[in-house]
Structures are given as structure tokens and as C-alpha cells.
Amino acid sequence: MEEIVSLVDQFSKLPNRPKVGLSLAGGAARGIAHIGVLKFFEEIKLPIDLIVGTSAGAIAGGVWACGVSSAKMYRLAKNTEWWFLARPVAFKSGLLSSQGIENWVRRIIRERTFTDLDIELAVTATDFLTGELVVIKEGDVARAVRISSTVPGVYEPVLHEGRPLVDGGLVQNLPAEVGRALGADFLIGVDLHSDVLENEVPKTVLWSMVHAINILQRQHEIIQAQLVDVLIQPKVGDHSAVNFKVVDDLTEEGYLAAKAILAQLKNKLKEIIGGTT
């Protein structure tokens, strides 16, 4: 680890160094793996200038951008009763309300706005009428994170600036294109679906629909993955997307996946340092 820490230090001191971006994918409970990835970046002290997150990636990235350490995020994940994700019901539509997500995030980060943050943050959402990608980078962070995590069919869309918005994962679950558009020169992506496969054909209508959406979503992610400089792919396929109890396993998988790109990261930093000296 000494070599990478030294390279990061040299990189950090470069005049007009490249803007470093981090794109964090959605993945429901599998998003806990982001904690391990962020722990790795804390250890090597890599400066992150921009975070773009979708759904679970918006939660992890948003909380981290507010100054909450990976260690505290881990403790929160271990000690949280996740039943708030399933209540209350939005009686008008019969769907659940994602207000519980917003309330939980707000208890952690308080009333932070995007302008309060030291790290530039953006989260993605989808206009549920037009299918248009919506990038939120202004206003209340907790509400923005909630919107990005509002899974359609489970949660009622959130009305935001006159538009019904849902989970950004519908159109860009790995938000690499947004990271590039916001000026990231060196972009790191965290993909949570690289090994999420079905062992058999789904046997129920609901599971068939979920599986079909996963297939479509994966095709988008493969395209987005080509836009990053370094791709981290935690092995989380053996864990259910709705099992929030395996915090230790998911965090460890994120950390191991981040360490696995160590050689690639070293080469990239050497390339950048060599090209500017």
C-alpha cells in the first residue's frame, strides 16, 4: 500500500491535476458494498472531486460527500432496522412512499444542501412520464437521494419541480456519462451487477418482470462501463438485493474489489504523473 499512497500524494500535488470522479451504481442492498470501496479510497487518500450516484449509489455517495466516514456508514448499516423502506403506504396510489428513505438520510446528514458540500455531488433520477434522465445537483441532499432511490412499481413517484421522478437506474444505473458531462477527467466506476445472474428461468410473473428489467439495465451498464478509466466490480451476485443483514460480507466484497484494481490504479496514476512532469 505504501507505493499507491506515495503515488496518490504525488498526484494530489500536481498543478492543475485532473478532476477525479466517482460513479456509484444502484443495486438496492448490494449498494452496501460501496462502503468497502469508500473505505479503500479513504485509506489511500485519493482525492475525489466529484461523486455521481444512482439509487443506492446516491445514498452512499451523498452521505459520504456530507463528511460521514466509511466507518460510520458501516456502523449505521449494521445498526439500522431497514423496515422503514417498506412504510408508510401512499394510500392514494396503493404504492409505498419513499419518504422513509428521506427521513433516514436526513437523520444522518441533517439539512445539508448541495452547496454545503466540499465534494461536488450529483444524483440521477428518471422522469416517469418521458423516460428522460434527470440530474439533480441543487437543493436538499436528503430529498434528492430519496428521489434517486424511488424504485418504480414499489414506490410512488416523487413530484419534483413539477415532474414525477423515480429511480435513476431506469436509464443510467452506472452514471458514467453524467460523470464525464460534469467534467471528470479521471473517472472511477463501481458496478454492482457484473456477476448478478439467474441460475434458472424465473417461474413467476413478478420475478420474470424483475429479471427482464435486470437484463435491460445490464445492457445499459455495459455501455456506461466503457466510459470509465477504472472499473470496480464487487462480487455481490450471491447476495439478494433485498437482504440488508449481510453488511459484513457486502462491505468486505466492496473493499476486496477496490483492492483488486490496485495495479491498474497505480499504472493510471503513473501515466498521469509522467505526462505532467
Side-chain angles (χ1 to χ4, degrees):
M1 291 287 280
E2 289 184 9
E3 183 183 4
I4 188 65
V5 171
S6 175
L7 286 169
V8 167
D9 183 60
Q10 294 176 57
F11 172 80
S12 301
K13 294 175 180 177
L14 289 175
N16 302 315
R17 67 165 176 78
K19 181 177 182 178
V20 181
L22 184 60
S23 291
L24 303 178
R30 297 183 182 114
I32 293 171
H34 287 314
I35 297 174
V37 174
L38 297 173
K39 175 185 175 183
F40 172 77
F41 289 135
E42 289 173 355
E43 288 181 352
I44 67 173
K45 297 180 172 58
L46 182 69
I48 303 296
D49 305 299
L50 166 70
I51 298 174
V52 184
T54 296
S55 198
I59 295 175
V63 171
W64 199 61
C66 287
V68 179
S69 69
S70 64
K72 184 173 181 179
M73 291 169 67
Y74 167 79
R75 292 194 298 271
L76 287 166
K78 286 283 285 186
N79 297 324
T80 293
E81 288 294 336
W82 297 96
W83 289 109
F84 71 83
L85 294 170
R87 64 175 187 260
V89 172
F91 291 103
K92 186 176 181 180
S93 66
L95 297 172
L96 300 177
S97 168
S98 57
Q99 182 65 50
I101 299 174
E102 180 178 337
N103 295 344
W104 180 75
V105 174
R106 194 175 303 283
R107 284 196 293 272
I108 299 168
I109 66 172
R110 306 303 178 187
E111 305 296 326
R112 298 290 188 90
T113 67
F114 284 78
T115 55
D116 294 328
L117 309 181
D118 293 328
I119 300 174
E120 182 182 355
L121 174 69
V123 304
T124 66
T126 304
D127 186 314
F128 205 40
L129 286 179
T130 66
E132 179 185 357
L133 175 70
V134 178
V135 179
I136 305 175
K137 49 194 180 73
E138 296 179 342
D140 184 88
V141 175
R143 183 171 176 80
V145 165
R146 167 199 176 181
I147 291 170
S148 184
S149 307
T150 298
V151 180
V154 177
Y155 296 118
E156 185 178 46
V158 179
L159 196 63
H160 178 74
E161 297 182 352
R163 307 174 77 176
L165 301 185
V166 294
D167 196 315
L170 283 183
V171 289
Q172 201 168 125
N173 197 54
L174 177 62
E177 187 177 350
V178 175
R180 289 298 187 194
L182 293 177
D185 303 304
F186 180 49
L187 185 61
I188 301 168
V190 184
D191 170 22
L192 299 177
H193 290 97
S194 64
D195 68 335
V196 177
L197 301 173
E198 295 295 335
N199 296 321
E200 58 183 16
V201 175
K203 292 183 172 61
T204 66
V205 173
L206 177 60
W207 195 244
S208 293
M209 291 173 62
V210 171
H211 183 54
I213 293 171
N214 285 341
I215 291 173
L216 292 171
Q217 193 176 68
R218 186 63 194 150
Q219 299 311 305
H220 295 159
E221 289 173 330
I222 290 170
I223 295 172
Q224 291 297 312
Q226 297 173 11
L227 300 178
V228 305
D229 296 292
V230 174
L231 184 64
I232 299 172
Q233 296 180 304
K235 302 301 181 184
V236 293
D238 289 338
H239 300 290
S240 168
V242 294
N243 184 359
F244 291 87
K245 296 297 184 181
V246 287
V247 174
D248 290 320
D249 291 344
L250 290 168
T251 301
E252 180 69 6
E253 290 295 347
Y255 184 75
L256 291 175
K259 286 190 72 174
I261 56 92
L262 199 55
Q264 187 181 359
L265 184 58
K266 287 178 184 178
N267 290 335
K268 288 287 184 180
L269 291 177
K270 288 176 181 178
E271 181 182 318
I272 293 170
I273 293 167
T276 58
T277 56

